[in-house]
Amino acid sequence: MQDPHGATGDAAVASVRSLGYRTDLSLLQMTGSSVVDRGDCLVVATTGNPHFWWGNFLLLRERPTVAKASGWVHRFEQELPWATHRAFGLDDPDAPHGAFSALVSSGHQVERTTVMTTDAVLPPPHPCPDAILRPLSGDDDWTQHVTLAMLIHHDAEDPTALPFVEARASAHRRAVESDSGVWVGAFVDGELVSQLGLLAAGAGLGRYQDVETHPDRRRQGLAGALVHCAAGIMLRSHDVETLVMVADPDDAAIRLYRSLGFTTSEHQLGAFLPPRKHTDPETGHNVGAG
């Protein structure tokens, strides 16, 4: 396909208006994804992890119209032929929830998240003295990273889930071991029960990633303690001045982030169509849940 704009990498990322998507793309690049500017959209590709919806998507410059909706779906299939899902972002921090209405009629789901920022994280309101907070390091820690992520987010019977989580974990580990950020965990009796990442996203920005806590250990102050812990490490050791957190506005965790000093800067809008589920004839398991 002809490339009308041609910018790639940092130049393509720098053109993004949305703080949420700009930091998303910066971290995706860092962990091996490609970003190419096609003029009317950015093509984000993570060929090593085809099941990663928000690592394989189109970031649109303008809201899709009804007349162009089917064209965008066809464009996605051309640009990312290995993907079985469909995912579109919108580079408009002021876009209303209805901006993707043209895609909703074809089955796409819309998600609107809140982009929050702070230059200093306040101490957590509820300390957790029984947990040891420290950066992940070594094979055992990263194996536990995968185990915790699988427990929280994924159906263990979906054959695409473990490869997806393992590929993501490898990308996280490469970023940390290249000194691009930190992944911190809360350990109780040697077991990883909560974790998150904070990576440098360029231009003085640090972006939090994947706040995850074991279901049996929630509401015990672990996530807040880790947000504060990671900020202390990154503000001391990296050229980071502003910390960015993207959260579901309907999730109770957003109140925690506000108590730690984060305030709303903008909103981020995306639309996605999960892969159709089908049954593997040999295993009987549902495949393609994403």
Side-chain angles (χ1 to χ4, degrees):
M1 177 176 294
Q2 186 177 356
D3 184 350
H5 224 240
T8 61
D10 292 343
V13 172
S15 70
V16 175
R17 293 190 299 146
S18 163
L19 176 62
Y21 277 119
R22 190 164 71 248
T23 52
D24 274 338
L25 299 189
S26 179
L27 299 192
L28 285 167
Q29 275 197 122
M30 180 193 308
T31 54
S33 303
S34 66
V35 181
V36 179
D37 191 342
R38 300 295 198 207
D40 55 354
C41 72
L42 271 66
V43 178
V44 184
T46 309
T47 55
N49 196 355
H51 305 298
F52 182 15
W53 299 356
W54 294 110
N56 297 280
F57 72 101
L58 303 186
L59 180 60
L60 309 188
R61 297 290 193 186
E62 297 181 355
R63 304 174 193 181
T65 63
V66 172
K68 293 185 177 180
S70 60
W72 278 118
V73 173
H74 179 65
R75 180 79 168 274
F76 183 100
E77 294 167 351
Q78 285 186 305
E79 296 280 8
L80 304 168
W82 57 84
T84 57
H85 67 282
R86 303 289 179 268
F88 302 90
L90 183 60
D91 186 21
D92 181 354
D94 300 316
H97 193 276
F100 273 125
S101 58
L103 289 171
V104 171
S105 61
S106 61
H108 289 73
Q109 302 173 44
V110 176
E111 61 179 21
R112 189 170 187 258
T113 50
T114 299
V115 181
M116 312 180 79
T117 58
T118 187
D119 59 5
V121 176
L122 301 175
H126 306 292
C128 44
D130 64 331
I132 296 174
L133 310 182
R134 62 171 177 80
L136 271 59
S137 176
D139 292 344
D140 181 66
D141 285 1
W142 287 102
T143 297
Q144 291 201 59
H145 170 95
V146 169
T147 300
L148 182 57
M150 282 291 294
L151 173 68
I152 294 170
H153 297 298
H154 301 280
D155 177 1
E157 293 187 348
D158 179 354
T160 68
L162 185 59
F164 163 76
V165 173
E166 289 179 333
R168 287 284 284 155
S170 294
H172 296 158
R173 186 172 183 176
R174 288 195 302 271
V176 168
E177 292 181 349
S178 67
D179 196 33
S180 297
V182 64
W183 219 274
V184 293
F187 292 82
V188 177
D189 297 327
E191 179 187 1
L192 179 65
V193 295
S194 186
Q195 63 180 346
L196 59 82
L198 179 55
L199 303 178
L205 300 171
R207 171 69 184 270
Y208 283 93
Q209 295 275 281
D210 301 340
V211 182
E212 299 169 332
T213 301
H214 192 289
D216 295 338
R217 299 292 303 197
R218 290 172 183 166
R219 302 184 185 280
Q220 298 177 20
L222 295 170
L226 288 176
V227 170
H228 184 259
C229 172
I233 294 171
M234 288 295 287
L235 291 172
R236 288 194 307 268
S237 61
H238 288 70
D239 185 21
V240 170
E241 298 175 354
T242 302
L243 303 172
V244 181
M245 176 78 76
V246 177
D248 182 343
D250 298 321
D251 194 311
I254 202 165
R255 293 195 296 271
L256 168 65
Y257 304 143
R258 290 192 177 112
S259 74
L260 297 173
F262 288 85
T263 58
T264 298
S265 294
E266 61 184 46
H267 293 90
Q268 181 171 314
L269 202 68
F272 63 93
L273 182 67
R276 290 184 179 179
K277 292 184 180 181
H278 66 275
T279 301
D280 186 311
E282 295 186 6
T283 67
H285 296 156
N286 284 332
V287 180

